Amino acid sequence: MPELPEVETVANGVHQRVHGQTITSVWTSNKPQTFKSRPEEIAEVLTGSRIDRVRRIGKTIVADLIRHPGKKSQPSVQFLVHLGMTGRLLVSAPETEPPPHTHAILTLSGGKELRFVDARRFGRLSVSTDEYTGPGKDPLTISNEDFIALFRNRKTPIKAALLNQSLLHGVGNIYADEALFRAGIRPRRQAGRLTRDELTRLRTALVKVLKHAIKLGGSSVSDYVDAEGVAGFFQLHHRVYSRTGEPCRTCSTPIERIVVGGRSSHFCPTCQR
Ligand SMILES: [Zn+2]
């Protein structure tokens, strides 16, 4: 499932290719699961709108639209794309055959098409006139004080708290394990009992690992923003994630795997306390 770095990579790649362009026509597959807003409403809102900016909010790709370019008062409208498990947002030439499971095609004034493809249909498309803010805080922009406050009095293990999307959005299993290793904190520690110093180290580590992953994903994006973006993610050199039994890269102790909150968690028993 795409997490924060993958969604950010896709959003940035799409932004570079489509911002400033007008949507001239919209086709939708009308599969009910895919469309959180009615497909007719999506087509109506998007057609004729100009794409001002494409960005990531949490794990959602948000396109800010200018609905009536040229008019003075601009109603704010957003097109929201959640990739779910298998969703892909592709910028393609119109002569390229749409892949199977294409659910939306936006024809753009620049001559390309923006396509939403989703085999398993856990992805969601919608339009919104309210400014979308998403659940939880963004781990890349939250202040250190706010980060520390998130975990105050929480009795859950820190690993589970990091994955709680209503606290922080976009952090997945890999990044949580990698950040805890870099901060020297065991995944089972009770979140509310971590010291200020430990939480400060954890925030720094989390930001570092997410930015590193975004950088790797971003560097491998080419015309198709899906596969390349995901491939970039695998280039990340994991220190603990999925390395059970392998030597710690810092101290050579074998990496251990435990289950915390139903999720596999990997850590070094020597480096993490
Ligand atoms: Zn170690």
Side-chain angles (χ1 to χ4, degrees):
M1 185 183 283
E3 302 293 347
L4 186 154
E6 293 76 44
V7 177
E8 173 113 358
T9 299
V10 173
N12 290 344
V14 170
H15 173 80
Q16 282 161 24
R17 287 162 181 80
V18 309
H19 79 276
Q21 296 190 36
T22 301
I23 301 162
T24 56
S25 66
V26 175
W27 171 88
T28 55
S29 72
N30 298 358
K31 296 278 186 206
Q33 302 92 322
T34 305
F35 296 90
K36 212 169 142 193
S37 304
R38 285 183 304 110
E40 304 78 31
E41 188 192 357
I42 292 178
E44 206 249 304
V45 167
L46 296 186
T47 307
S49 291
R50 193 167 73 207
I51 301 169
D52 188 37
R53 184 161 67 131
V54 181
R55 59 199 165 117
R56 174 193 65 78
I57 299 179
K59 290 204 289 179
T60 300
I61 298 168
V62 177
D64 295 313
L65 304 176
I66 298 171
R67 197 158 176 202
H68 302 290
K71 282 197 184 169
K72 270 233 161 82
S73 68
Q74 300 287 356
S76 148
V77 182
Q78 294 175 320
F79 177 45
L80 309 180
V81 178
H82 197 278
L83 297 174
M85 301 275 288
T86 55
R88 295 184 296 159
L89 202 54
L90 308 175
V91 180
S92 308
E95 53 272 23
T96 310
E97 184 75 15
H101 312 293
T102 297
H103 297 296
I105 300 178
L106 281 52
T107 306
L108 303 173
S109 56
K112 296 243 174 160
E113 292 179 350
L114 183 60
R115 297 170 175 174
F116 180 69
V117 181
D118 188 9
R120 296 191 58 187
R121 282 200 248 131
F122 287 106
R124 296 288 177 264
L125 303 180
S126 61
V127 286
S128 171
T129 48
D130 300 323
E131 180 87 13
Y132 180 78
T133 53
K137 302 275 190 191
D138 195 291
L140 291 181
T141 52
I142 189 170
S143 72
N144 199 47
E145 283 311 311
D146 288 347
F147 185 84
I148 290 167
L150 283 183
F151 303 104
R152 206 164 283 152
N153 299 326
R154 288 204 180 261
K155 295 196 167 62
T156 52
I158 185 62
K159 170 69 185 284
L162 283 174
L163 296 183
N164 181 344
Q165 301 294 305
S166 65
L167 297 179
L168 285 172
H169 53 210
V171 180
N173 211 22
I174 296 171
Y175 305 110
D177 280 4
E178 294 295 318
L180 285 168
F181 173 80
R182 284 159 175 80
I185 298 166
R186 290 199 183 197
R188 267 210 192 113
R189 292 272 306 280
Q190 199 183 103
R193 290 202 170 162
L194 294 177
T195 65
R196 285 184 61 88
D197 275 2
E198 285 174 324
L199 287 170
T200 301
R201 283 208 310 271
L202 181 57
R203 191 188 71 89
T204 307
L206 187 59
V207 168
K208 216 169 161 183
V209 77
L210 290 170
K211 285 191 171 167
H212 186 198
I214 290 167
K215 208 171 157 193
L216 294 180
S219 65
S220 60
V221 169
S222 66
D223 200 43
Y224 290 96
V225 289
D226 62 331
E228 284 79 3
V230 173
F233 151 77
F234 287 110
Q235 295 161 19
L236 181 65
H237 278 238
H238 299 146
R239 299 197 190 162
V240 287
Y241 184 78
S242 250
R243 295 191 67 244
T244 311
E246 291 177 43
C248 172
R249 295 191 201 281
T250 305
C251 73
S252 298
T253 306
I255 299 301
E256 288 185 15
R257 175 186 173 279
I258 53 172
V259 175
V260 181
R263 306 291 299 273
S264 281
S265 301
H266 310 81
F267 72 102
C268 171
T270 304
C271 294
Q272 291 170 258
R273 294 281 151 194

